[in-house]
Amino acid sequence: MTGKDSIYATEQTIKDFTFDQHVVEVFPDMIQRSVPGYATIVSTMGKLAGTYAQSNSTLYDLGCSLGAVTLSMRRNIEKENCQIVAIDNSSAMVERCKLHLQGFKSDVPVKVELGDINESAIENASVVAMNFTLQFIAPEQRAHLLEKIFAGLKPGGVLLLSEKIRGENEFNDNLLIDLHHDFKRANGYSELEISQKRTAIENVMITDKLSTHHARLLQIGFKHIQVWYQCFNFCSLVAVK
Ligand code: GEK
């Protein structure tokens, strides 16, 4: 059972945000009230995985948290002999993810692994999903991780990448931040919760501009890059090898 996110509801000394047991307990509520369109993004990533999955290949869910994207991909895979590898470096997340996945039946095998995606092998992949995970990787490691993913993808394989983005300039960034904060208020977060969460996350989640993502993916060699979703400062794209 998971509950309502009230982690920052009381005034406190703010430490850097981590994906610990407290976060696991409220994660579905937290992400759903914080990320506009989360349910649409997860279900569409599943559909895209169904379209791009290749027979005899592996689909990856990097930074899987409780396995929402894994489940969505698994529901949509129709090709033969596919498996899913879901990886997260939070042991609390991985333990809960395994329990959660046991609640659903499927013929597609899933391996849930505790590990750092910077160190994990990506091999024989037709689909690699990173739903709001790259933003937690140190900026200087991002290109290397994406190069490894590109190398592990089969021709025609895809990266499904969702990210919180930074506006292209200060004015645009503030406009998007204001809209996002309004969204959080409308979902019941108080001013204190919004501001304390912002402080907790600012050293751990460094966002890139959409133009930075686009240029980096092109530079790495992705052939087609298409943003299919954006609401405020949250976007999701497909990059095809
Ligand atoms: C969802 N995709 O529900 N290696 C492995 N995992 C990592 C690393 C790393 N180096 N860094 C962070 N994580 C999910 C949501 S949440 C996004 C993803 C959010 C993991 C971290 O432990 C957390 O579970 C996840 O990436 C990011 O569709 O909470 O905004």
Side-chain angles (χ1 to χ4, degrees), residues 114-158:
L114 175 64
D116 181 350
I117 57 174
N118 290 307
E119 310 294 331
S120 310
I122 308 288
E123 284 158 348
N124 191 38
S126 55
V127 177
V128 177
M130 275 201 285
N131 199 29
F132 303 108
T133 304
L134 189 64
Q135 61 202 27
F136 292 104
I137 300 299
E140 65 279 9
Q141 294 181 311
R142 291 178 189 175
H144 185 252
L145 172 58
L146 291 166
E147 280 161 8
K148 178 177 76 177
I149 291 169
F150 184 79
L153 277 169
K154 294 158 78 76
V158 291

Side-chain angles (χ1 to χ4, degrees), residues 2-88:
T2 54
K4 185 173 189 284
D5 172 23
S6 55
I7 291 179
Y8 296 107
T10 52
E11 196 155 3
Q12 54 199 268
T13 311
I14 303 296
K15 295 192 239 94
D16 278 352
F17 185 84
T18 55
F19 291 95
D20 60 14
Q21 195 63 45
H22 298 289
V23 170
V24 166
E25 297 304 332
V26 299
F27 189 72
D29 178 67
M30 172 188 286
I31 196 147
Q32 198 258 116
R33 287 201 289 141
S34 305
V35 175
Y38 175 72
T40 303
I41 295 169
V42 168
S43 66
T44 307
M45 286 174 88
K47 294 267 179 247
L48 287 163
T51 304
Y52 288 98
Q54 300 178 28
S55 300
N56 310 309
S57 73
T58 301
L59 292 82
Y60 288 86
D61 180 5
L62 305 182
C64 60
S65 299
L66 303 184
V69 170
T70 291
L71 276 173
S72 181
M73 295 202 296
R74 194 166 72 167
R75 271 186 214 116
N76 285 280
I77 296 171
E78 285 172 357
K79 293 280 162 41
E80 296 178 342
N81 198 22
C82 289
Q83 60 159 350
I84 300 178
V85 174
I87 307 171
D88 205 289

Side-chain angles (χ1 to χ4, degrees), residues 1 8 18 24 36 42 54 71 124-125 134 157 161 165 182 184 192-193 199-200 202 209 218 220 241:
M1 280 299 286
Y8 296 107
T18 55
V24 166
V42 168
Q54 300 178 28
L71 276 173
N124 191 38
L134 189 64
L161 178 67
I165 52 170
D182 278 345
K184 291 189 75 165
L192 181 67
E193 286 178 291
T199 307
E202 76 187 353
K209 295 174 184 167
L218 266 185
I220 288 169
K241 178 163 174 175

